[in-house]
Amino acid sequence: MAAVTGETPRTRIQQENRERILKAALDMFSRTGYRGTTLDQIAAAAGMSKPNMLYYFRTKEELYRSVLQETLEDWLTPFAKLDPDGDPSAELGAYISAKLAHARINPKASRLFANEILQGAPLLEKTLKGRLKDLVEEKSKAIRAWIAAGKMVPIEPLHLIYMIWAATQHYADFETQMDALEGTEPGTREKRFENAERTLFTVLFNGLKPR
Amino acid sequence: MAAVTGETPRTRIQQENRERILKAALDMFSRTGYRGTTLDQIAAAAGMSKPNMLYYFRTKEELYRSVLQETLEDWLTPFAKLDPDGDPSAELGAYISAKLAHARINPKASRLFANEILQGAPLLEKTLKGRLKDLVEEKSKAIRAWIAAGKMVPIEPLHLIYMIWAATQHYADFETQMDALEGTEPGTREKRFENAERTLFTVLFNGLKPR
DNA sequence: TTTAATCTTGATCGATTGGTCAAACTTGTC
DNA sequence: GACAAGTTTGACCAATCGATCAAGATTAAA
């Protein structure tokens, strides 16, 4: 099994099949979570047999961890890019846009993350209390500096961050509800994200701007 | 079985045990969803045997539907109360407060709802496209009237509604993440909700108020 | 073309899961 | 207290689930 997990380069088939499996796993785990998803379901979605899939990922948990690790990196990257030396409108605007783009392009990653949190985040505790906490403290400090410079109304930075996370992720996580309310005709989702960005920019920028 | 499902009044034991089971089911289903939760887990949490529990709720699905029905009523009630003839600040303020109170008092109900939506809302489709959609259209009309009367900046009503749902429910649904970031010392959660309300009021009211 | 390495999968396994059932126990009513 | 109604549960069941294994098929390298 060294070729599968060690330093040896992966074969063509391994690369292809791992990608297929990871994608299928994301599709499935994002809907019904770890316990509620079966290996047979993922294998079927990946277009292979269950033992074949287990040739590449030895256990269900190993597969889940791999998928979750990828989605976590996607989640953390835009947040890390928030520049404390920049202008609040520009920085927050860029972050909101990046989060909405993520919600649009990869809603299942967002839903996987939400699912893991709902389940008590057993596999994320270390990251939440480590990297994420550090990032949150760093960005909170930046927000405080913006407030002190009179560029923003006085508010709790942590809760502004929560507000942005909530407002943007909601478009991925509650997509089913939104589809039910708005219908699923062609163009509806695109229009939804245009309206989302416009609304969030209007309310948040107007709301944060001193009077 | 007539005594359990018909018009006959429920016995003392039936009332007590049903409540116990429903509470245990909410605790469990809100974390791992329908498929990921086992009847044994719920029965253990309710302090009884699985067959005993199945004496009161014939199947897993019947139990799940009962819990979900209760949580849905809790979800819809505050929204229905939004008065179109009232003042935007007062009405939205009351709604936000009610939603935050719900997130604080009954986070598991919120999480059950989120879980059901993540799973594609198989049991909620009728309500989402019916009652909720009707309510959303009614409240959107009210918001449009507020905008026309110059009481609010021009924005898409639907997306303001999403924003409020997202910002408030997040405190229940992502509680695990917040606990990880903020710690769980006594008083932390109470303080969190005070800050939540203050921040949401500041940003949303300031944001919606014309300049 | 040969051979070694890699990949695929039907059959199988032990454990788990949603249920069923009948006997024993408990509660309610007269 | 007697008896009917209601409640509880150990034992059991078929199906499902995460996994294992060995044999056959395919791919890669020489």
Side-chain angles (χ1 to χ4, degrees):
Chain A
M1 284 304 230
V4 176
T5 62
E7 309 294 338
T8 319
R10 289 190 170 131
T11 66
R12 173 187 65 90
I13 293 179
Q14 281 171 10
Q15 290 213 33
E16 290 183 0
N17 284 354
R18 281 181 66 94
E19 286 308 308
R20 262 167 66 208
I21 297 166
L22 288 169
K23 182 178 180 303
L26 175 61
D27 284 355
M28 299 287 126
F29 281 136
S30 65
R31 178 181 278 258
T32 39
Y34 178 71
R35 260 209 51 99
T37 304
T38 68
L39 290 173
D40 272 320
Q41 285 174 321
I42 300 171
M48 65 176 73
S49 70
K50 184 174 56 167
N52 191 194
M53 186 175 72
L54 289 171
Y55 174 76
Y56 295 96
F57 294 90
R58 221 180 52 258
T59 62
K60 186 180 184 180
E61 183 170 332
E62 183 183 313
L63 177 56
Y64 184 72
R65 282 175 182 272
S66 296
V67 182
L68 193 59
Q69 184 59 36
E70 285 193 351
T71 195
L72 198 56
E73 291 309 317
D74 273 0
W75 200 94
L76 289 170
T77 304
F79 191 44
K81 280 187 182 166
L82 204 59
D83 181 10
D85 296 324
D87 175 65
S89 294
E91 289 306 311
L92 294 179
Y95 183 50
I96 290 164
S97 291
K99 290 283 288 183
L100 282 177
H102 187 255
R104 199 184 76 242
I105 293 164
N106 202 359
K108 286 170 188 176
S110 184
R111 293 205 278 270
L112 182 74
F113 183 72
N115 222 308
E116 176 66 13
I117 298 290
L118 285 178
Q119 285 173 45
L123 301 184
L124 289 182
E125 184 167 352
K126 193 173 136 195
T127 299
L128 295 181
K129 292 184 177 180
R131 284 174 72 192
L132 184 61
K133 189 171 174 167
D134 292 344
L135 275 180
V136 164
E137 275 168 14
E138 177 189 320
K139 309 311 176 184
S140 293
K141 198 178 297 188
I143 291 168
R144 264 185 227 106
W146 285 332
I147 291 166
K151 298 182 182 184
M152 206 183 271
V153 296
I155 53 165
E156 268 295 333
L158 184 59
H159 290 262
L160 172 61
I161 291 167
Y162 288 158
M163 203 174 171
I164 292 169
W165 288 345
T168 51
Q169 284 161 209
H170 202 73
Y171 285 92
D173 301 344
F174 286 76
E175 186 178 78
T176 297
Q177 186 183 32
M178 294 179 182
D179 285 346
L181 293 174
E182 299 172 46
T184 50
E185 295 75 42
T188 302
R189 283 191 190 172
E190 285 70 40
K191 192 172 161 95
R192 182 187 300 158
F193 280 95
E194 291 169 13
N195 283 330
E197 190 165 89
R198 193 183 307 118
T199 306
L200 293 192
F201 279 7
T202 298
V203 176
L204 286 173
F205 291 161
N206 201 29
L208 294 173
K209 186 173 157 190
R211 295 210 170 222
Chain B
M1 285 306 233
V4 175
T5 63
E7 309 295 336
T8 317
R10 288 190 172 134
T11 66
R12 172 187 67 90
I13 294 180
Q14 282 171 7
Q15 290 213 32
E16 291 183 358
N17 284 353
R18 281 181 66 93
E19 286 309 307
R20 262 167 66 206
I21 296 166
L22 287 169
K23 182 178 181 305
L26 175 61
D27 285 356
M28 299 288 127
F29 282 136
S30 64
R31 178 182 278 257
T32 40
Y34 178 71
R35 260 208 53 98
T37 303
T38 67
L39 289 173
D40 272 321
Q41 286 173 319
I42 301 172
M48 64 177 74
S49 70
K50 182 176 59 170
N52 191 191
M53 184 175 73
L54 290 171
Y55 173 76
Y56 295 96
F57 295 89
R58 222 177 52 257
T59 62
K60 186 180 182 181
E61 181 169 334
E62 184 183 314
L63 177 56
Y64 184 72
R65 281 175 182 273
S66 296
V67 182
L68 193 59
Q69 183 58 35
E70 285 191 351
T71 197
L72 196 58
E73 292 310 317
D74 274 359
W75 199 96
L76 288 170
T77 303
F79 192 45
K81 281 186 182 166
L82 204 59
D83 181 9
D85 296 325
D87 174 65
S89 294
E91 290 306 312
L92 294 178
Y95 183 50
I96 290 164
S97 292
K99 291 282 287 182
L100 282 177
H102 187 254
R104 198 185 75 242
I105 294 164
N106 201 359
K108 287 169 186 174
S110 184
R111 293 204 280 269
L112 182 73
F113 183 72
N115 222 308
E116 177 65 14
I117 298 289
L118 286 178
Q119 285 173 42
L123 301 184
L124 290 181
E125 183 167 353
K126 192 172 136 192
T127 300
L128 294 182
K129 293 186 177 180
R131 283 173 73 191
L132 184 61
K133 187 170 173 166
D134 292 343
L135 276 180
V136 164
E137 276 169 16
E138 178 189 320
K139 309 311 175 184
S140 293
K141 197 179 295 188
I143 291 168
R144 263 184 228 107
W146 285 331
I147 291 167
K151 298 180 182 184
M152 204 182 275
V153 296
I155 52 165
E156 268 294 334
L158 183 60
H159 290 262
L160 173 60
I161 291 168
Y162 289 159
M163 203 173 170
I164 291 168
W165 289 345
T168 50
Q169 282 161 211
H170 202 74
Y171 284 91
D173 302 344
F174 285 77
E175 185 178 82
T176 298
Q177 186 183 33
M178 293 180 183
D179 284 347
L181 293 174
E182 300 172 45
T184 50
E185 296 76 40
T188 302
R189 284 191 189 172
E190 284 70 41
K191 194 173 160 88
R192 183 188 298 157
F193 280 95
E194 290 168 16
N195 283 330
E197 190 165 271
R198 193 182 309 119
T199 306
L200 292 192
F201 279 7
T202 299
V203 176
L204 284 174
F205 291 160
N206 202 28
L208 293 173
K209 187 172 160 190
R211 292 205 172 228

